[in-house]
Amino acid sequence: MKALVPVKRVVDYNVKVRVKSDGTGVDVANVKMSMNPFDEIAVEEATRLKEKGALTEVVAVSCGVTQCQETLRTAMAIGADRGILVETAEELQPLAVAKLLKALVDKEKPDLIILGKQAIDDDCNQTGQMLAALLDLPQATFASKVEVADGHAVVTREVDGGLETIKLKLPAVITTDLRLNEPRYVTLPNIMKAKKKPLDTVKPADLGVDVSPRIKTLKVSEPPKRGAGVKVPDVATLVAKLKNEAKVI
Protein backbone atom coordinates (compact mmCIF):
# COMPACT_ATOMS: atom_id res chain seq x y z
CA MET A 1 0.00 0.00 0.00
CA LYS A 2 1.17 3.49 -0.87
CA ALA A 3 0.47 6.81 0.83
CA LEU A 4 0.75 10.24 -0.77
CA VAL A 5 1.52 13.04 1.68
CA PRO A 6 1.32 16.64 0.42
CA VAL A 7 3.49 19.10 2.39
CA LYS A 8 3.58 22.90 2.20
CA ARG A 9 6.44 25.33 2.77
CA VAL A 10 5.25 28.15 5.03
CA VAL A 11 6.67 30.89 7.24
CA ASP A 12 7.88 29.20 10.45
CA TYR A 13 5.27 29.32 13.20
CA ASN A 14 7.76 30.98 15.59
CA VAL A 15 8.22 33.98 13.27
CA LYS A 16 6.22 37.17 13.83
CA VAL A 17 4.66 37.88 10.44
CA ARG A 18 5.05 41.38 8.97
CA VAL A 19 2.86 42.93 6.30
CA LYS A 20 4.61 44.66 3.39
CA SER A 21 4.53 48.45 3.50
CA ASP A 22 2.58 48.60 0.21
CA GLY A 23 -0.09 46.21 1.55
CA THR A 24 0.39 43.68 -1.27
CA GLY A 25 1.09 40.72 1.01
CA VAL A 26 3.28 39.30 3.74
CA ASP A 27 7.01 40.02 3.82
CA VAL A 28 8.91 36.72 3.48
CA ALA A 29 12.34 38.17 2.64
CA ASN A 30 15.02 36.65 4.90
CA VAL A 31 12.30 34.93 6.95
CA LYS A 32 12.74 31.41 8.27
CA MET A 33 10.55 28.93 6.38
CA SER A 34 9.57 25.42 7.46
CA MET A 35 7.07 22.65 6.85
CA ASN A 36 3.46 23.42 7.72
CA PRO A 37 2.97 21.86 11.22
CA PHE A 38 -0.23 20.02 10.24
CA ASP A 39 1.58 18.49 7.24
CA GLU A 40 4.43 17.45 9.51
CA ILE A 41 1.86 15.54 11.58
CA ALA A 42 0.61 13.90 8.35
CA VAL A 43 4.14 12.76 7.42
CA GLU A 44 4.66 11.39 10.92
CA GLU A 45 1.36 9.47 10.79
CA ALA A 46 2.17 7.97 7.38
CA THR A 47 5.61 6.97 8.67
CA ARG A 48 4.07 5.31 11.75
CA LEU A 49 1.62 3.41 9.55
CA LYS A 50 4.55 2.20 7.45
CA GLU A 51 6.42 1.12 10.59
CA LYS A 52 3.33 -0.85 11.66
CA GLY A 53 3.28 -2.60 8.29
CA ALA A 54 0.03 -0.99 7.10
CA LEU A 55 1.89 0.88 4.35
CA THR A 56 4.85 -0.06 2.18
CA GLU A 57 5.72 3.31 0.63
CA VAL A 58 5.29 6.96 1.60
CA VAL A 59 5.57 9.60 -1.13
CA ALA A 60 5.90 13.26 -0.12
CA VAL A 61 4.65 15.93 -2.54
CA SER A 62 5.12 19.68 -2.49
CA CYS A 63 3.92 22.40 -4.88
CA GLY A 64 5.72 25.70 -5.19
CA VAL A 65 9.13 27.28 -5.66
CA THR A 66 12.47 25.47 -5.93
CA GLN A 67 13.13 25.92 -2.18
CA CYS A 68 10.27 23.49 -1.49
CA GLN A 69 12.90 20.79 -2.03
CA GLU A 70 14.11 21.56 1.50
CA THR A 71 10.61 20.83 2.83
CA LEU A 72 10.55 17.54 0.92
CA ARG A 73 13.98 16.59 2.31
CA THR A 74 12.61 17.20 5.81
CA ALA A 75 9.65 14.92 5.01
CA MET A 76 12.07 12.25 3.79
CA ALA A 77 14.17 12.66 6.94
CA ILE A 78 11.04 11.95 8.99
CA GLY A 79 10.33 8.81 6.99
CA ALA A 80 9.03 9.44 3.46
CA ASP A 81 10.65 7.19 0.85
CA ARG A 82 10.78 9.68 -2.03
CA GLY A 83 9.62 13.14 -2.98
CA ILE A 84 7.90 14.89 -5.89
CA LEU A 85 8.12 18.65 -6.42
CA VAL A 86 5.61 20.40 -8.67
CA GLU A 87 7.75 23.44 -9.35
CA THR A 88 6.14 26.79 -10.13
CA ALA A 89 6.66 30.42 -9.15
CA GLU A 90 2.93 31.12 -9.57
CA GLU A 91 0.82 31.92 -6.51
CA LEU A 92 -0.92 28.64 -5.74
CA GLN A 93 -4.46 28.77 -4.38
CA PRO A 94 -6.25 25.74 -2.82
CA LEU A 95 -8.13 24.68 -5.96
CA ALA A 96 -4.96 24.80 -8.09
CA VAL A 97 -3.11 22.67 -5.51
CA ALA A 98 -6.02 20.20 -5.39
CA LYS A 99 -5.94 19.88 -9.20
CA LEU A 100 -2.17 19.30 -9.16
CA LEU A 101 -2.56 16.66 -6.45
CA LYS A 102 -5.38 14.98 -8.40
CA ALA A 103 -3.10 14.67 -11.42
CA LEU A 104 -0.39 13.11 -9.24
CA VAL A 105 -2.88 10.75 -7.59
CA ASP A 106 -4.06 9.61 -11.03
CA LYS A 107 -0.41 8.90 -11.87
CA GLU A 108 0.81 7.38 -8.59
CA LYS A 109 -2.40 5.49 -7.63
CA PRO A 110 -1.92 5.73 -3.84
CA ASP A 111 -4.20 3.88 -1.41
CA LEU A 112 -4.18 6.77 1.07
CA ILE A 113 -3.79 10.53 0.73
CA ILE A 114 -3.05 12.11 4.09
CA LEU A 115 -2.41 15.84 4.54
CA GLY A 116 -2.71 18.61 7.09
CA LYS A 117 -6.19 20.02 7.69
CA GLN A 118 -4.96 23.54 6.85
CA ALA A 119 -1.85 25.62 6.30
CA ILE A 120 -0.89 28.16 8.93
CA ASP A 121 -0.22 30.90 6.35
CA ASP A 122 -3.60 31.23 4.60
CA ASP A 123 -5.71 29.11 7.02
CA CYS A 124 -7.94 28.09 4.11
CA ASN A 125 -8.74 24.50 5.21
CA GLN A 126 -9.89 23.68 1.67
CA THR A 127 -7.31 21.60 -0.22
CA GLY A 128 -8.12 18.21 1.32
CA GLN A 129 -11.87 18.59 0.81
CA MET A 130 -11.43 19.86 -2.76
CA LEU A 131 -9.09 16.97 -3.57
CA ALA A 132 -11.57 14.40 -2.25
CA ALA A 133 -14.32 16.00 -4.36
CA LEU A 134 -12.18 16.02 -7.53
CA LEU A 135 -11.18 12.39 -7.01
CA ASP A 136 -14.68 11.35 -5.86
CA LEU A 137 -13.14 9.57 -2.87
CA PRO A 138 -14.35 9.21 0.73
CA GLN A 139 -12.79 11.69 3.15
CA ALA A 140 -12.24 12.13 6.88
CA THR A 141 -11.23 15.58 8.09
CA PHE A 142 -9.70 16.70 11.41
CA ALA A 143 -8.41 13.21 12.25
CA SER A 144 -7.17 12.64 15.81
CA LYS A 145 -6.68 8.86 15.38
CA VAL A 146 -6.13 6.73 12.28
CA GLU A 147 -6.10 2.93 11.96
CA VAL A 148 -5.62 1.20 8.61
CA ALA A 149 -6.38 -2.49 8.00
CA ASP A 150 -8.17 -4.79 5.53
CA GLY A 151 -8.60 -2.14 2.87
CA HIS A 152 -10.31 0.29 5.26
CA ALA A 153 -9.34 3.23 7.45
CA VAL A 154 -11.04 3.80 10.80
CA VAL A 155 -10.71 7.48 11.67
CA THR A 156 -11.62 9.27 14.88
CA ARG A 157 -12.26 12.90 14.00
CA GLU A 158 -12.79 15.99 16.10
CA VAL A 159 -16.16 17.68 15.66
CA ASP A 160 -17.91 20.52 17.51
CA GLY A 161 -19.80 18.10 19.74
CA GLY A 162 -16.80 15.92 20.66
CA LEU A 163 -15.46 12.94 18.72
CA GLU A 164 -16.84 11.02 15.76
CA THR A 165 -15.51 7.67 14.48
CA ILE A 166 -16.02 6.75 10.84
CA LYS A 167 -14.89 3.88 8.63
CA LEU A 168 -13.69 4.61 5.10
CA LYS A 169 -13.03 2.28 2.21
CA LEU A 170 -9.60 2.88 0.68
CA PRO A 171 -8.48 4.76 -1.32
CA ALA A 172 -9.46 7.77 0.76
CA VAL A 173 -8.41 11.29 1.76
CA ILE A 174 -7.61 12.08 5.41
CA THR A 175 -6.71 15.49 6.88
CA THR A 176 -4.86 15.61 10.18
CA ASP A 177 -5.54 17.56 13.36
CA LEU A 178 -3.09 18.56 16.11
CA ARG A 179 -3.89 15.72 18.50
CA LEU A 180 -3.17 12.94 16.00
CA ASN A 181 0.49 12.64 17.02
CA GLU A 182 3.65 14.51 17.93
CA PRO A 183 6.19 14.49 15.07
CA ARG A 184 9.55 12.94 15.86
CA TYR A 185 12.77 14.92 16.18
CA VAL A 186 14.67 14.73 12.92
CA THR A 187 18.18 13.36 13.60
CA LEU A 188 21.33 14.22 11.65
CA PRO A 189 21.79 10.65 10.29
CA ASN A 190 18.25 10.72 8.90
CA ILE A 191 18.88 14.13 7.34
CA MET A 192 21.95 12.69 5.60
CA LYS A 193 19.98 9.64 4.42
CA ALA A 194 17.24 11.93 3.07
CA LYS A 195 19.75 13.60 0.74
CA LYS A 196 20.18 10.28 -1.09
CA LYS A 197 16.48 9.56 -1.51
CA PRO A 198 14.97 10.23 -4.97
CA LEU A 199 13.30 13.58 -5.59
CA ASP A 200 11.55 14.16 -8.92
CA THR A 201 10.60 17.58 -10.29
CA VAL A 202 7.69 18.25 -12.64
CA LYS A 203 5.94 21.38 -13.90
CA PRO A 204 2.19 22.07 -13.74
CA ALA A 205 2.16 22.00 -17.56
CA ASP A 206 3.52 18.43 -17.46
CA LEU A 207 0.44 17.47 -15.45
CA GLY A 208 -1.90 19.42 -17.72
CA VAL A 209 -3.05 21.75 -14.96
CA ASP A 210 -3.66 25.50 -15.22
CA VAL A 211 -2.62 27.06 -11.90
CA SER A 212 -3.50 30.68 -12.72
CA PRO A 213 -4.94 32.43 -9.62
CA ARG A 214 -8.74 32.68 -9.61
CA ILE A 215 -8.90 35.06 -6.63
CA LYS A 216 -7.14 38.42 -6.48
CA THR A 217 -5.84 39.85 -3.22
CA LEU A 218 -6.73 43.53 -3.10
CA LYS A 219 -4.99 44.49 0.12
CA VAL A 220 -3.35 42.92 3.15
CA SER A 221 -3.33 44.80 6.45
CA GLU A 222 -2.54 44.08 10.07
CA PRO A 223 -5.48 43.80 12.49
CA PRO A 224 -6.14 46.97 14.51
CA LYS A 225 -4.42 47.16 17.88
CA ARG A 226 -6.70 46.28 20.77
CA GLY A 227 -7.42 48.95 23.31
CA ALA A 228 -6.71 48.48 27.00
CA GLY A 229 -9.39 46.81 29.09
CA VAL A 230 -11.16 48.50 32.00
CA LYS A 231 -12.48 47.16 35.28
CA VAL A 232 -16.07 47.88 36.29
CA PRO A 233 -17.40 47.89 39.85
CA ASP A 234 -20.66 46.05 39.17
CA VAL A 235 -22.92 44.45 36.58
CA ALA A 236 -25.03 47.56 36.12
CA THR A 237 -21.96 49.59 35.04
CA LEU A 238 -20.92 46.79 32.68
CA VAL A 239 -24.35 46.74 31.03
CA ALA A 240 -24.34 50.53 30.75
CA LYS A 241 -20.90 50.52 29.03
CA LEU A 242 -21.92 47.74 26.65
CA LYS A 243 -25.04 49.68 25.73
CA ASN A 244 -23.77 53.25 25.59
CA GLU A 245 -20.07 52.96 24.73
CA ALA A 246 -19.60 49.64 22.89
CA LYS A 247 -23.16 49.77 21.53
CA VAL A 248 -23.38 45.98 21.31
CA ILE A 249 -26.69 45.65 23.18
Side-chain angles (χ1 to χ4, degrees):
M1 284 178 59
K2 182 195 295 186
L4 192 75
V5 187
V7 295
K8 185 177 184 180
R9 179 176 181 263
V10 299
V11 174
D12 189 87
Y13 67 92
N14 288 310
V15 173
K16 180 174 172 50
V17 175
R18 298 188 306 273
V19 174
K20 291 180 181 177
S21 57
D22 59 2
T24 57
V26 171
D27 186 5
V28 294
N30 302 315
V31 170
K32 182 183 177 184
M33 308 292 281
S34 61
M35 188 190 304
N36 178 44
F38 290 103
D39 296 337
E40 196 173 1
I41 291 169
V43 177
E44 174 67 26
E45 190 64 22
T47 301
R48 292 187 186 188
L49 288 171
K50 188 179 76 168
E51 290 170 348
K52 291 176 184 175
L55 297 173
T56 54
E57 185 182 22
V58 176
V59 183
V61 178
S62 191
C63 305
V65 294
T66 307
Q67 290 87 337
C68 290
Q69 290 184 15
E70 301 167 13
T71 309
L72 288 170
R73 292 295 179 193
T74 301
M76 289 188 277
I78 293 173
D81 298 291
R82 57 188 174 94
I84 301 173
L85 171 62
V86 183
E87 188 177 1
T88 177
E90 193 81 67
E91 178 198 350
L92 292 176
Q93 294 174 351
L95 183 58
V97 176
K99 288 180 177 178
L100 291 171
L101 294 176
K102 178 188 182 299
L104 288 173
V105 169
D106 291 340
K107 181 181 176 183
E108 292 286 335
K109 297 286 190 293
D111 301 279
L112 181 65
I113 304 101
I114 182 167
L115 65 161
K117 69 171 184 176
Q118 66 194 78
I120 62 171
D121 52 1
D122 55 22
D123 265 343
C124 281
N125 181 17
Q126 294 175 345
T127 305
Q129 293 90 326
M130 287 177 169
L131 178 60
L134 291 171
L135 291 169
D136 194 24
L137 290 179
Q139 63 174 312
T141 55
F142 318 130
S144 60
K145 185 178 180 182
V146 177
E147 295 176 352
V148 176
D150 302 323
H152 290 82
V154 178
V155 179
T156 301
R157 57 188 301 266
E158 300 192 5
V159 295
D160 291 340
L163 298 176
E164 177 184 58
T165 301
I166 57 176
K167 186 175 184 180
L168 309 173
K169 185 178 180 182
L170 299 180
V173 177
I174 297 174
T175 69
T176 62
D177 213 332
L178 279 174
R179 291 166 196 69
L180 181 57
N181 61 52
E182 185 174 339
R184 68 193 67 189
Y185 177 76
V186 179
T187 61
L188 183 59
N190 285 338
I191 293 173
M192 300 307 294
K193 288 177 186 175
K195 291 182 178 180
K196 298 179 180 178
K197 292 182 179 180
L199 196 162
D200 299 324
T201 302
V202 296
K203 303 285 186 183
D206 301 333
L207 300 172
V209 177
D210 177 16
V211 295
S212 301
R214 299 161 64 94
I215 300 171
K216 182 180 179 181
T217 301
L218 300 179
K219 185 180 179 183
V220 177
S221 60
E222 292 187 7
K225 287 185 169 56
R226 295 179 60 182
V230 293
K231 289 184 178 181
V232 293
D234 50 43
V235 175
T237 308
L238 173 62
V239 173
K241 283 184 174 290
L242 290 175
K243 186 175 182 179
N244 303 322
E245 294 182 20
K247 298 189 185 302
V248 294
I249 59 173

